Amino acid sequence: MTHCSCFLCESCFKAFFSSAIKEKSIDQLTCPQCGRPEVRGQGGGMEYFNLLDTQIRHFLPPQTHELFQRKLRDRALQEMPNFIWCSHCSFGILHEADRLKMDCPSCKKSTCCQCRSPWSPEHQGVSCQQFRVRQHQNQPDHQNPPLLECPGCSSVFSVSRGGCLHFTCSQCQHQFCGGCRQTFSPGAACRFSTSCGGRGLHAHHPRDCLYHLRDWRVTRLLLLLQFYRVSPSGCDSAPLRSPDSHTGVCSVMEMREEREEACGRAAPPQYRGYCESHFKECLVQLINRCHGDPAVLFSVAEMGAELQRWGVAVPTRRAEEAEPEYTERLRATLTNSFPLRKHI
């Protein structure tokens, strides 16, 4: 390798880079043994990539070398401040006009040049932040694909349901949770605590994230909504269900093996036309919208475990302290030490 002291045999070089060029971003095409050099950042790694280009042209097939060059070109374009990818197709242009709306000459559709979301008439005359708030408020129900904003580059995605909560941004490669937008970090790179060093890729999810609440029983989620006086009728998507929804089958569209398909799992009547998993997801969405804190239902054991998870010593019960008083003191310690973030 040109920028480290590692060596690869020809077959290993071919095997790694043939696969990596097809499946990974250009910034991940570093030494498979040590991960060097550091190529992220404006203009980073160009000398390395120029030398790697020579090696790839020599050892790999022409079509693989061509794909590598396209990815290298796209990387250079993306670093240009006025270059914008169309949110509808694979076309990109230099947008130097003052207006937010960028018109794609290829597909004839429009994109916002700042938040990179598909253009909508509601965006006219309002900031990207205000537009995102309106988009979220105007989503009629849980049946529609949720909108997800990357905390790394602010790109906005329409996300199909199904699969895990670990999301990788296609624009900046930032890895984060689709439920709470917390960053996924490898153990050695996480600075939360020394214990993270022995863990693999992970995130520190707040207690109201779907990552945690999907393990609650439906009855408990409904009890939390009842505490905040929120009706579960917000999950009622009857107007948008498919005509055969009366058969008791969940019709929420999921991403499966790179294509969308209807869920198809059993949808009991008490779950308003959803299967249990999607009904829980809808209830958690309502909890997040009303800023509901699951801590109001936590037991003493759960509050102790939550404090320990964040590295806070659990207060001991005083000799004269009644159990209800101790419970509320624990709850106050938890909610004051770790208030929940606002959901947009």
Side-chain angles (χ1 to χ4, degrees):
M1 299 301 291
T2 60
H3 280 60
C4 61
S5 57
C6 301
F7 290 86
L8 300 177
C9 69
E10 183 176 334
S11 60
C12 286
F13 181 91
K14 289 180 177 179
F16 173 76
F17 283 100
S18 292
S19 173
I21 290 171
K22 296 175 183 176
E23 299 175 0
K24 298 184 178 182
S25 69
I26 191 74
D27 289 340
Q28 295 175 296
L29 302 183
T30 53
C31 175
Q33 293 183 7
C34 68
R36 291 198 294 264
E38 176 56 53
V39 297
R40 297 183 186 276
Q42 191 76 16
M46 286 312 299
E47 180 186 1
Y48 165 74
F49 284 126
N50 287 336
L51 294 172
L52 181 62
D53 179 79
T54 302
Q55 293 175 310
I56 290 173
R57 184 172 64 248
H58 179 73
F59 288 112
L60 299 182
Q63 60 269 29
T64 305
H65 177 238
E66 182 182 350
L67 177 59
F68 171 76
Q69 288 192 316
R70 288 205 305 271
K71 289 193 172 187
L72 198 59
R73 176 207 63 196
D74 291 348
R75 179 181 188 262
L77 288 172
Q78 194 162 317
E79 290 181 347
M80 300 175 67
N82 294 326
F83 183 82
I84 310 294
W85 291 108
C86 175
S87 61
H88 302 277
C89 68
S90 59
F91 203 79
I93 64 173
L94 284 171
H95 180 72
E96 298 178 343
D98 293 333
R99 62 177 187 156
L100 290 178
K101 183 180 179 183
M102 181 200 78
D103 300 318
C104 176
S106 177
C107 67
K108 311 302 181 185
K109 297 181 180 179
S110 302
T111 300
C112 174
C113 67
Q114 286 191 0
C115 63
R116 315 296 174 92
S117 61
W119 184 260
S120 171
E122 288 77 19
H123 201 335
Q124 189 68 41
V126 300
S127 68
C128 296
Q129 177 68 17
Q130 292 172 321
F131 175 60
R132 283 194 290 269
V133 171
R134 290 184 183 181
Q135 277 185 309
H136 187 81
Q137 292 174 341
N138 291 335
Q139 280 185 277
D141 59 59
H142 184 65
Q143 191 86 347
N144 287 341
L147 298 172
L148 186 63
E149 179 184 344
C150 172
C153 66
S154 298
S155 295
V156 179
F157 300 91
S158 178
V159 186
S160 295
R161 304 187 186 282
C164 72
L165 292 171
H166 181 186
F167 189 85
T168 301
C169 176
S170 61
Q171 298 299 312
C172 70
Q173 306 306 312
H174 183 70
Q175 300 181 67
F176 61 99
C177 173
C180 61
R181 299 174 67 233
Q182 292 295 308
T183 299
F184 273 88
S185 304
C190 183
R191 299 180 180 179
F192 178 75
S193 71
T194 54
S195 63
C196 293
R199 302 176 64 182
L201 193 67
H202 67 286
H204 295 277
H205 310 270
R207 57 185 175 272
D208 66 339
C209 178
L210 177 63
Y211 178 85
H212 296 299
L213 295 183
R214 62 186 174 184
D215 294 329
W216 281 29
R217 299 185 305 275
V218 168
T219 52
R220 199 181 191 198
L221 293 173
L222 290 170
L223 188 62
L224 182 57
L225 284 173
Q226 183 180 349
F227 179 88
Y228 286 98
R229 299 181 180 180
V230 175
S231 170
S233 62
C235 288
D236 191 356
S237 59
L240 295 179
R241 290 185 197 140
S242 58
D244 62 349
S245 60
H246 65 277
T247 59
V249 175
C250 180
S251 58
V252 172
M253 300 302 292
E254 291 185 322
M255 181 63 72
R256 296 177 181 173
E257 297 181 357
E258 300 186 356
R259 65 176 183 178
E260 282 192 324
E261 294 180 357
C263 169
R265 292 188 286 268
Q270 65 269 29
Y271 293 164
R272 299 178 178 269
Y274 297 106
C275 65
E276 181 177 350
S277 175
H278 286 124
F279 188 51
K280 283 184 178 182
E281 192 174 347
C282 177
L283 295 177
V284 172
Q285 189 176 72
L286 295 177
I287 290 167
N288 292 159
R289 286 182 179 177
C290 74
H291 312 306
D293 191 341
V296 299
L297 299 184
F298 277 5
S299 65
V300 170
E302 287 175 313
M303 288 187 283
E306 182 72 1
L307 287 170
Q308 289 177 337
R309 186 167 73 90
W310 295 104
V312 176
V314 180
T316 57
R317 183 176 174 182
R318 305 185 186 104
E320 73 286 355
E321 191 172 27
E323 184 173 348
E325 294 175 357
Y326 176 60
T327 301
E328 290 311 308
R329 185 159 65 90
L330 270 185
R331 204 180 321 276
T333 301
L334 175 60
T335 55
N336 292 334
S337 300
F338 300 100
L340 297 179
R341 83 277 188 239
K342 296 281 187 180
H343 286 264
I344 297 178

